[in-house]
Amino acid sequence: LLFLFFLSRAASVAASGTQPNPPTWPASVKVFSPSDDPAYIEATVRAAFASNGGDTPSDHGQFSLSRFAFLFRPGTYHVDVPVGYYTQVLGLGASPQD
């Protein structure tokens, strides 16, 4: 029954054309561009790393309930970002076919 609800909801969103593009991301998802300040990017990712355990304790957030995704638009970045449990770092293509 739950599956049917989601299926009908997805169909109604697609039919009505109300889905925003780009999507409205939750706070746990950040999209960066090469024009963003490298210090801002590093601080954002380090804050997520720290909230998921950081370097201490030894499990580094293995049992955390938080999830993060960091998406990088095409370009060159000179940043150092730690990646812990339940964190995705993704490079976006220049076109939808990439």
Side-chain angles (χ1 to χ4, degrees), residues 42-83:
E42 288 184 1
T44 301
V45 176
R46 287 184 185 279
F49 182 70
S51 76
N52 260 1
D55 294 317
T56 311
S58 60
D59 65 18
H60 304 289
Q62 181 177 359
F63 302 106
S64 171
L65 297 177
S66 299
R67 307 293 186 262
F68 298 96
F70 300 106
L71 290 71
F72 289 80
R73 291 186 174 123
T76 302
Y77 297 82
H78 299 285
V79 294
D80 182 22
V81 294
V83 179

Side-chain angles (χ1 to χ4, degrees):
L1 186 60
L2 187 57
F3 174 73
L4 292 176
F5 168 77
F6 286 119
L7 185 59
S8 66
R9 176 73 179 132
S12 68
V13 167
S16 67
T18 60
Q19 187 175 10
N21 188 9
T24 303
W25 299 106
S28 61
V29 176
K30 300 290 183 197
V31 181
F32 299 115
S33 71
S35 62
D36 290 334
D37 180 12
Y40 166 73
I41 295 172
E42 288 184 1
T44 301
V45 176
R46 287 184 185 279
F49 182 70
S51 76
N52 260 1
D55 294 317
T56 311
S58 60
D59 65 18
H60 304 289
Q62 181 177 359
F63 302 106
S64 171
L65 297 177
S66 299
R67 307 293 186 262
F68 298 96
F70 300 106
L71 290 71
F72 289 80
R73 291 186 174 123
T76 302
Y77 297 82
H78 299 285
V79 294
D80 182 22
V81 294
V83 179
Y85 283 97
Y86 308 117
T87 302
Q88 296 183 30
V89 177
L90 308 161
L92 302 175
S95 71
Q97 291 77 26
D98 290 345

